[in-house]
Amino acid sequence: MSRGYLYVLFFTAIFLQAGAYGLTFMLPRLFDSFGADEKVVGSMLFATTISTIVTVYFSGHLSDYFGRQRTLSGACIAISVSLFLYGFVDVVGISLVVASLLLGFGWGLTYSLGPVVLSRLVNADMRVRFFTLLSVFVMAGFGLSPVLAAVLEGAGFSVRHAFFVTAALCIVSAILFLFLDRPIKAHAINPRAELPSRITRAALSGVIASRSFLPIMMICLGASVFAGMINFQTVFADARGLNYASFFLIYTITVVVFRLILSRFKGGTNPYRTIAVLLYVMSISVVIFIFSGASFPLYMLVAVLFAVGYGISYPLLVTVTANDAEEHLSAQTLQLFALTYFIGIFGFPLIAGWFIVELGTWPLLAFVAALALIEATLALRRSLN
């Protein structure tokens, strides 16, 4: 198999399973169909957080034992089962908890091991380009799945059918990852056996003591901002009489286009300064959203600015994390990056759901804006050192 064909199949597998995360944005709508509120959504995603944290911690152990591609394949099967359960459940109970735990297990493995696999196929000079391409396919997957849900609803189906369709796509992804096991090993830039990936106490201490620890903490803040803006976007849109599908479509197109255009951009001579500027743009978008009301043009402006700020800064953060990591701790560093990301992505909705039910959307958005400004300022401080 040629290297180009390998990349096509690998990124296709990434794209197909990424839609599962995008459907978490539809959980408020799904849960509302059987009388559950945003607090329940937050609680289920908190269960996903716990599952994800445990899974990411042991992802290295699993991949060392089964192999990275086989582990990725099994993770996609777990995600598929999770989505089927979400589609069938019509009451808050154990099935909903199991679905949430399986989602955390599967998504934790695919998200943390994907960059590790890719890093073995490309050298350091190509990391920005290929990590950006990886993020493009992830973004396209989870950004378009809410649009798929809206299209299905418009065609007379329910939001549940989007979960069933995406579950089937995850099975295809599992088959592709399994098929790519030998080709990826054959095309590794270093023919030696894979270094251990498991996270140990010594490895954890090494990562915390390295320069990569700051971007690892920053991504947790950024993921919280993303979750606050995106996970309950259907709630925000419905309250303002706006179309959530338009937001997701414009956001996804903007991110994909800019990431493709900038796929060779390494952040300039001072990547952290570039990241800081982008994160301040993200902060501005949240502030505009607070005061935009029912204005559709401003809604679209928020989608574009948030896409530029968060969407472009993310692959740069992945790259500086990988470049700042100690070589022998590269796999563990990327896994911890994914772990803190998931703490924000799946953990913050618990806080956000409480805000919405008890205080309303305005205080939530104000809190999200504050987190965005903190992350941007941390990047600015590192750029000055």
Side-chain angles (χ1 to χ4, degrees):
M1 181 187 296
S2 69
R3 183 176 287 268
Y5 187 46
L6 184 154
Y7 287 139
V8 169
L9 292 181
F10 177 76
F11 286 130
T12 298
I14 291 291
F15 169 74
L16 294 178
Q17 59 81 34
Y21 172 63
L23 288 183
T24 63
F25 310 152
M26 304 307 300
L27 289 182
R29 209 171 188 83
L30 176 68
F31 284 24
D32 183 64
S33 68
F34 53 85
D37 62 17
E38 291 80 8
K39 279 186 177 180
V40 179
V41 175
S43 298
M44 290 302 104
L45 289 178
F46 183 72
T48 301
T49 305
I50 300 301
S51 175
T52 302
I53 291 173
V54 174
T55 299
V56 172
Y57 183 85
F58 288 105
S59 61
H61 297 71
L62 292 172
S63 65
D64 287 349
Y65 186 79
F66 293 106
R68 288 169 184 164
Q69 283 69 247
R70 292 190 184 93
T71 303
L72 284 169
S73 180
C76 290
I77 295 297
I79 294 173
S80 180
V81 174
S82 167
L83 296 181
F84 274 120
L85 280 174
Y86 274 130
F88 282 114
V89 168
D90 58 3
V91 66
V92 177
I94 188 63
S95 296
L96 208 57
V97 175
V98 171
S100 301
L101 293 175
L102 283 173
L103 179 63
F105 173 79
W107 188 239
L109 288 175
T110 56
Y111 196 86
S112 61
L113 293 180
V116 176
V117 171
L118 188 59
S119 66
R120 198 161 186 244
L121 292 171
V122 298
N123 55 42
D125 292 338
M126 299 292 287
R127 278 179 178 168
V128 170
R129 181 183 180 187
F130 279 87
F131 280 164
T132 300
L133 287 174
L134 177 66
S135 67
V136 164
F137 283 93
V138 171
M139 174 59 62
F142 74 64
L144 292 177
S145 56
V147 178
L148 169 66
V151 170
L152 289 174
E153 286 186 307
F157 296 96
S158 73
V159 68
R160 297 176 183 274
H161 288 89
F163 284 80
F164 297 144
V165 171
T166 308
L169 295 178
C170 286
I171 293 176
V172 177
S173 183
I175 295 171
L176 286 175
F177 278 127
L178 197 60
F179 173 73
L180 289 173
D181 186 25
R182 289 187 178 181
I184 285 177
K185 290 176 181 177
H187 284 284
I189 57 176
N190 192 331
R192 72 186 180 188
E194 295 175 345
L195 290 172
S197 302
R198 64 188 62 189
I199 298 175
T200 62
R201 185 176 300 176
L204 182 60
S205 298
V207 173
I208 292 175
S210 73
R211 283 179 57 85
S212 62
F213 187 62
L214 177 66
I216 287 175
M217 291 295 98
M218 285 172 58
I219 198 60
C220 183
L221 291 172
S224 298
V225 173
F226 181 83
M229 278 288 287
I230 302 296
N231 272 75
F232 296 96
Q233 190 57 229
T234 57
V235 177
F236 299 145
D238 289 346
R240 302 181 184 202
L242 298 166
N243 184 356
Y244 72 87
S246 298
F247 181 93
F248 284 115
L249 185 60
I250 296 300
Y251 174 84
T252 303
I253 291 174
T254 303
V255 171
V256 169
V257 169
F258 273 89
R259 284 184 180 177
L260 287 174
I261 292 173
L262 299 173
S263 62
R264 297 177 184 271
F265 179 58
K266 299 180 180 180
T269 57
N270 191 332
Y272 280 101
R273 184 182 302 159
T274 304
I275 292 170
V277 171
L278 292 168
L279 292 177
Y280 279 120
V281 170
M282 179 182 74
S283 305
I284 291 170
S285 73
V286 180
V287 173
I288 292 174
F289 189 48
I290 293 174
F291 300 102
S292 62
S295 171
F296 183 76
L298 286 179
Y299 191 45
M300 294 300 95
L301 177 63
V302 169
V304 171
L305 291 179
F306 194 78
V308 170
Y310 179 84
I312 300 175
S313 66
Y314 177 82
L316 291 178
L317 267 175
V318 178
T319 302
V320 296
T321 303
N323 290 342
D324 286 348
E326 301 290 338
E327 183 179 357
H328 66 288
L329 294 175
S330 176
Q332 290 87 344
T333 299
L334 290 173
Q335 288 173 66
L336 287 171
F337 181 91
L339 188 149
T340 57
Y341 172 81
F342 281 122
I343 290 175
I345 284 291
F346 289 136
F348 189 76
L350 180 66
I351 299 173
W354 180 87
F355 261 97
I356 291 173
V357 174
E358 299 296 335
L359 302 176
T361 57
W362 193 94
L364 168 62
L365 291 172
F367 184 52
V368 167
L371 293 179
L373 288 169
I374 291 172
E375 185 189 12
T377 304
L378 287 174
L380 181 62
R381 288 187 61 185
R382 170 60 69 88
S383 73
L384 299 174
N385 294 335

